[in-house]
Each structure stands twice: as structure tokens, then as C-alpha cells.
């Protein structure tokens, strides 16, 4: 997959899938995504980096995409 970045406000690079902003995509990001989906609570930046298929909805498809990024 490689790393994909979204430039937020022209100043901050956000690593797609990195929901806790530690520059590492791992199981902690999966747990954060699942908690956000179940609890309905994401920050504005988390909404950007969690929507991995860019369909405007954060759901199980994004979780599967995140797992695939980690496994590759």
C-alpha cells in the first residue's frame, strides 16, 4: 500500500489510518477506530484519516482496509 498522507489546512500532514497520530499504523489504530464507530465520537482529523475508502462513512469497510494496511 505505501503511506498515504492528507494535508490538513495546508500545514499538517496526516497519515491515513493513523488515528492516534503516533506515525505508526497498528492495532491501537484499529481499536481507536472501532471505539469511534461504536461510540460515535471522532475528532475532525480522525474523521479524515479513518475514512480509508473515501466514501464519507466510517464503517466496517474502513476497519477491514486498516487491517489490510497493517498486514501488508
Amino acid at each position: 500500500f505505501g503511506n498515504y498522507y492528507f494535508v490538513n489546512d495546508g500545514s499538517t500532514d496526516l497519515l491515513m489510518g493513523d488515528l492516534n497520530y503516533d506515525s505508526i499504523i497498528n492495532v491501537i489504530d484499529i481499536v481507536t477506530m472501532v471505539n469511534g464507530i461504536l461510540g460515535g465520537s471522532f475528532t475532525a482529523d480522525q474523521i479524515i484519516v479513518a475514512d480509508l475508502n473515501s466514501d464519507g462513512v466510517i464503517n466496517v469497510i474502513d476497519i477491514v482496509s486498516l487491517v489490510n494496511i497493517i498486514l501488508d
Side-chain angles (χ1 to χ4, degrees), residues 32-43 47:
T32 303
M33 184 182 287
V34 170
N35 286 340
I37 291 170
L38 295 177
S41 177
F42 287 106
T43 66
I47 291 170

Side-chain angles (χ1 to χ4, degrees), residues 37-59:
I37 291 170
L38 295 177
S41 177
F42 287 106
T43 66
D45 286 343
Q46 284 176 326
I47 291 170
I48 294 168
V49 298
D51 188 14
L52 294 172
N53 64 342
S54 301
D55 66 351
V57 179
I58 302 167
N59 56 25

Side-chain angles (χ1 to χ4, degrees), residues 21-45:
Y21 317 116
D22 65 354
S23 299
I24 302 168
I25 299 174
N26 56 26
V27 69
I28 297 169
D29 299 300
I30 296 171
V31 171
T32 303
M33 184 182 287
V34 170
N35 286 340
I37 291 170
L38 295 177
S41 177
F42 287 106
T43 66
D45 286 343

Side-chain angles (χ1 to χ4, degrees), residues 2 19 36 67:
L19 277 80
V67 170

